Amino acid sequence: MDNKEVIESWLTGLTKEQKEQYLDRLNRNPWLVYRPHKIQRKFHESQARIRFFFGGNRAGKTRALIQEVIWYAIGLHPFKKVPTPSHIWVVSLDFPSSRDVVQPMIKRLVGSAYLKSFHETDKIIELVNGSTISFKSCDSGWEKFQGTERHLIAFDEEPAWDIYQECLMRTASVKGDIICAMTPLHGMSWVYDEIY
Ligand SMILES: Nc1ncnc2c1ncn2[C@@H]1O[C@H](COP(=O)(O)OP(=O)(O)OP(=O)(O)O)[C@@H](O)[C@H]1O
Ligand SMILES: [Mg+2]
């Protein structure tokens, strides 16, 4: 299958208007053209509210996670209905990995057609449709995860239990989603009991 066929196959279930809108946006932003491999696709297709992508090094975990963030942010997800605008947190383990891994990926993928502003100090990207993507890091402690509702919280690698708990509360009232892409490095951590 070429890219076009893959994209067409994602769009089944959308109205004609939504399809045209999606394809138009794709054409304006080539970075949105992404061909997930089999395991990434399974992750994207899952209808669960809490989704974990377990994989080894370089398995494409972060790429798949970021693609989800982009789909929620632009309000068009090929496999589910997502709210617009969506308020999203992207959570890394520490500040350098946020700055060096996920922030550049997301900025590049959002593209100039969608980007309204990037607040450097608050680490918040605002999109033209009102969605926001905020970058957070686990090493700032769970207290920094208090606050308002989130429609999507995306963890790049396994967060501490207290932060995960706090994030569950942030998504509860709006029935938001939680996604996590991780290599299981910590053996029998809370993830084992909670997710398996
Ligand atoms: N479906 C895909 N098509 C093309 N390239 C991909 C795809 N998925 C991932 N990649 C590329 O493969 C590389 C590794 O992907 P990624 O960083 O997402 O892996 P990871 O599992 O998060 O790795 P790490 O263990 O280092 O965290 C990146 O350069 C990414 O852009
Ligand atoms: Mg990664």
Side-chain angles (χ1 to χ4, degrees), residues 31 34-37 40 53 55-65 101 105 108 156-157 181 183:
W31 267 97
Y34 147 75
R35 189 192 287 192
H37 61 58
Q40 288 172 327
F53 184 159
N57 290 330
R58 313 308 286 164
K61 304 178 301 293
T62 302
R63 182 67 185 82
L65 190 86
V101 182
M105 251 192 193
R108 197 163 45 173
D156 190 29
E157 299 299 342
T183 303

